[in-house]
Amino acid sequence: MTELNILKEREKQVHRNDLTTFQMDCETKSAAGSVSQRACVFCGSRVVLYPVADALHLVHGPIGCAAYTWDIRGALSSGPQLHRLSFSTDLREEQVVFGGEKKLRQCLTDLIDRHAPAAAFVYATCIVGIIGDDVDAVCKAVAKEKGIPVIPVHSEGFKGTKKDGYRAACKALFQLVGTGDISGIPPVSINILGEFNIGGEAWMIEEYYRKMGVEVVSVLTGDSRVEKIKRSHGATLNVVQCSGAMLQLAEMMEEAYGIPYIRVSYFGLEDTAQALYDVAAHFSDHPDVMEATRALVKTEIEAVHPDLLEFKKVLHGKKAAIYVGGAFKAFSLIKALRYLGMTTVLVGSQTGNTQDYDLLKKMCDTDTIIVDDSNPLELATYITEKEADIFIGGVKERPIAYKMGIGFCDHNHERKTPLAGFKGMHNFAKEVYTTVRSPVWQFAPAQNRVY
């Protein structure tokens, strides 16, 4: 294998785990020439807001930006499908020169009249930030005229990274929070933040809480509705799953409405059970909640445990490479793979912070490669060096795995199978099991891998 020459600008973003102290250089803009897997601000905002199913999502920019709208995430809805339609102001040269505010207002007016949304989100893209359209003023005028919230999302791509898009989305959502009626919300109630219902996970998690005796006021933003978001300030606890995307909203709600939050993960048996127990513990003055939670966890684990033991017999000793968006997801993946007897030899994220990487260092074995904002060449090289049996990532990582001749497990936004909760752990383990043992890999021996 040819030795990899890492770009000088990226030397502090790649670490071979050992006992020495290291400080990962993270939360920085991607290095020019790196062709990293990290997306832009607009992408981050769309990831968070897109699943609001009864809202209009209008991209103010050239038509090419709308490529990141059409069904870019699974984001299943139990009702409205408006979020799955792709709308753009389709800015051309004339608007770039003379301004696009007039076209934006006309598009908003026409779309609201046609689709009658509960609210509208308007995404400002790079070109809008350059030409200086007053998106806020247009949104305010249309909101007054049409009588619905019309919310600007300042997501100009050049402003930063995908993580900055998360912040822009949280600010947009916060404009809805606190504007609805909270009568009838019981004291044992929560909001679920950071669950996007890609494969129906939100429905599974809501069912867990229903059996526990906990009411879910709003899921932000999987299968979400504008009215539920408006009254989310009536819940007594925020449960934050995807901390990178939604932690800021939880902090804003705590400051404004005094709602505490906890961080959880619903991936893997251990983390799912702990998440449910943590919520039950918060409502300690309702002991029946904890009692119902124990019964639920016992029943769910007993249903999947026998199959997991069978999968483990085959997967024991296999090696996995992980590259995902948020580091919090990587934590759960490492634990779930360890439960299956597998070793993580490469792990990285697009949006991890210093504390995340410190924890990854403690969780990973010696000589595990830890990367931040990686690129295909780095990922391919380390996968080859470590002789990984499977690569777990998202849509951008899939071609890397197949070119390398190893199995791939989609743990991001294109999948259709739920991977959260107890049943989700069974689905994940079964996919890894069937992928790793597939006979197709005998036709792609390691020496023929492309990198």
Side-chain angles (χ1 to χ4, degrees):
M1 179 184 70
T2 305
E3 184 177 350
L4 176 66
N5 294 317
I6 300 173
L7 292 173
K8 184 175 180 59
E9 295 85 351
R10 283 197 43 76
E11 288 178 351
K12 294 183 178 181
Q13 290 176 277
V14 180
H15 178 72
R16 193 179 295 271
N17 199 24
D18 53 28
L19 300 178
T20 62
T21 301
F22 85 101
Q23 184 76 26
M24 184 72 84
D25 189 5
C26 52
E27 299 188 282
T28 60
K29 293 185 179 180
S30 299
S34 176
V35 196
S36 82
Q37 306 297 86
R38 182 180 284 164
C40 71
V41 179
F42 171 58
C43 165
S45 66
R46 287 289 293 164
V47 162
V48 173
L49 295 174
Y50 170 78
V52 182
D54 59 348
L56 175 75
H57 299 271
L58 175 62
V59 180
H60 187 35
I63 193 63
C65 294
Y68 220 105
T69 59
W70 170 243
D71 215 20
I72 199 64
R73 293 180 74 89
L76 300 179
S77 170
S78 58
Q81 302 293 324
L82 182 57
H83 66 304
R84 297 187 65 186
L85 300 182
S86 181
F87 299 115
S88 169
T89 52
D90 186 21
L91 295 185
R92 303 292 179 91
E93 185 177 8
E94 179 182 346
Q95 287 81 42
V96 173
V97 175
F98 298 105
E101 293 175 18
K102 181 179 178 181
K103 191 170 188 181
L104 172 60
R105 180 160 186 166
Q106 186 64 55
C107 286
L108 270 173
T109 302
D110 291 348
L111 288 169
I112 291 172
D113 287 344
R114 178 178 297 181
H115 295 282
F121 293 104
V122 179
Y123 303 83
T125 56
C126 287
I127 194 65
V128 173
I130 294 172
I131 66 178
D133 279 356
D134 192 344
V135 178
D136 292 50
V138 175
C139 289
K140 185 177 181 180
V142 175
K144 184 176 180 180
E145 177 186 341
K146 296 299 180 182
I148 66 169
V150 181
I151 303 171
V153 185
H154 293 286
S155 51
E156 295 87 349
F158 55 72
K159 280 185 173 180
T161 69
K162 184 178 182 180
K163 203 166 185 176
D164 296 293
Y166 296 158
R167 298 188 184 100
C170 287
K171 290 177 181 177
L173 285 170
F174 193 66
Q175 295 184 48
L176 291 174
V177 175
T179 61
D181 179 17
I182 61 174
S183 59
I185 297 177
V188 183
S189 57
I190 64 172
N191 296 311
I192 301 172
L193 277 64
E195 169 50 54
F196 304 117
N197 204 40
I198 295 170
E201 290 91 342
W203 302 329
M204 296 167 57
I205 295 167
E206 284 186 280
E207 180 64 12
Y208 292 156
Y209 286 121
R210 187 191 66 77
K211 292 179 178 179
M212 291 165 53
V214 178
E215 179 168 321
V216 177
V217 178
S218 179
V219 179
L220 291 108
T221 52
D223 193 22
S224 191
R225 304 291 184 273
V226 171
E227 285 304 316
K228 289 187 176 183
I229 297 173
K230 286 181 176 180
R231 67 196 303 260
S232 60
H233 62 298
T236 54
L237 176 68
N238 279 330
V239 183
V240 186
Q241 176 179 227
C242 184
S243 58
M246 302 295 277
L247 187 59
Q248 185 183 22
L249 181 61
E251 292 171 344
M252 295 165 74
M253 292 178 71
E254 183 175 44
E255 181 178 352
Y257 303 105
I259 306 173
Y261 69 86
I262 60 174
R263 296 174 64 182
V264 304
S265 169
Y266 297 109
F267 182 72
L269 301 186
E270 179 183 346
D271 282 358
T272 300
Q274 190 61 54
L276 301 182
Y277 286 138
D278 287 349
V279 171
H282 178 80
F283 300 108
S284 56
D285 51 342
H286 296 268
D288 54 313
V289 174
M290 180 59 80
E291 185 179 344
T293 303
R294 291 194 180 102
L296 169 67
V297 171
K298 182 176 184 293
T299 300
E300 293 291 335
I301 290 181
E302 286 177 347
V304 301
H305 192 247
D307 282 349
L308 294 180
L309 291 179
E310 291 301 312
F311 297 150
K312 186 174 182 177
K313 292 177 182 178
V314 172
L315 295 176
H316 183 78
K318 300 295 184 182
K319 302 175 183 178
I322 301 170
Y323 187 74
V324 289
F328 214 67
K329 187 188 298 182
F331 302 154
S332 294
L333 277 167
I334 291 171
K335 285 188 277 187
L337 291 167
R338 188 172 293 153
Y339 181 84
L340 295 172
M342 298 180 68
T343 303
T344 300
V345 294
L346 166 68
V347 62
S349 80
Q350 297 177 22
T351 59
N353 58 35
T354 302
Q355 293 74 29
D356 294 333
Y357 287 113
D358 286 343
L359 182 53
L360 279 178
K361 175 178 168 61
K362 295 175 182 177
M363 293 180 68
C364 292
D365 296 333
T366 301
D367 208 38
T368 299
I369 305 296
I370 304 174
V371 295
D372 174 74
D373 186 27
S374 197
N375 59 55
L377 182 59
E378 291 173 358
L379 294 171
T381 301
Y382 292 128
I383 285 172
T384 300
E385 175 193 329
K386 294 296 183 179
E387 298 181 337
D389 298 291
I390 191 169
F391 190 9
I392 302 170
V395 61
K396 295 188 294 296
E397 290 76 51
R398 185 193 305 271
I400 300 173
Y402 290 159
K403 288 180 181 179
M404 301 289 295
I406 65 172
F408 177 78
C409 175
D410 187 347
H411 206 283
N412 205 357
H413 56 235
E414 281 201 334
R415 58 185 168 80
K416 303 301 180 186
T417 303
L419 298 181
F422 303 104
K423 178 63 176 176
M425 176 60 184
H426 182 277
N427 292 339
F428 171 74
K430 184 177 181 180
E431 181 173 344
V432 173
Y433 167 79
T434 54
T435 299
V436 168
R437 70 190 297 267
S438 171
V440 72
W441 308 123
Q442 65 182 300
F443 301 111
Q447 62 267 26
N448 292 337
R449 291 174 179 171
V450 178
Y451 63 93

